[in-house]
Amino acid sequence: MVVVADTSPINYLIQISCIHILPALYQKVIVPRAVIDELGHRNAPEAVASWASQPPSWISVSDLQTPVDDNELRKLDSGEIAVSRCCHGSGWSLFFPRHTKVKRARSSRMA
């Protein structure tokens, strides 16, 4: 199974030293460039920023760049938009922790 990961689950898995579970659970882990950029933000925890500066080889970083032309997607942050764009129409799984706004945006795009 292919999964596209958002910032929060990656962030917390790194902080609890469990990031290694992703390649055991998923055949391919895609992380959009916008998510890598968020993880490497200057205010990110040191371990997270360090991980983002050199993601492991099992991470596939997506540089997909598409304009935001959907009013619902405009409500999301850049990482959430990138994850949603990567998954749209691909059949890939989303790895979002909790965001109702993401679910709402995704369902409005799929309708």
Side-chain angles (χ1 to χ4, degrees):
M1 174 184 287
V2 176
V3 68
V4 180
D6 191 21
T7 305
S8 294
I10 298 289
N11 176 36
Y12 293 120
L13 286 171
I14 293 167
Q15 289 190 57
I16 63 171
S17 300
C18 289
I19 193 70
H20 63 278
I21 68 167
L22 290 180
L25 295 173
Y26 300 102
Q27 180 181 6
K28 184 172 186 177
V29 180
I30 299 171
V31 180
R33 171 65 55 200
V35 170
I36 295 291
D37 292 347
E38 288 178 358
L39 292 167
H41 188 272
R42 60 185 164 84
N43 293 333
E46 186 177 329
V48 175
S50 176
W51 185 93
S53 71
Q54 294 184 341
S57 60
W58 50 265
I59 291 288
S60 177
V61 178
S62 170
D63 287 315
L64 178 67
Q65 298 289 329
T66 55
V68 178
D69 58 355
D70 183 298
N71 285 334
E72 285 299 312
L73 284 180
R74 291 180 201 280
K75 298 174 185 176
L76 305 178
D77 68 35
S78 62
E80 293 165 339
I81 291 169
V83 169
S84 182
R85 292 276 186 190
C86 279
C87 290
H88 184 68
S90 68
W92 297 337
S93 298
L94 291 169
F95 192 8
F96 283 121
R98 68 209 173 323
H99 294 294
T100 303
K101 63 183 181 176
V102 171
K103 292 176 187 168
R104 228 183 350 256
R106 293 264 312 142
S107 63
S108 73
R109 283 190 51 90
M110 301 303 259

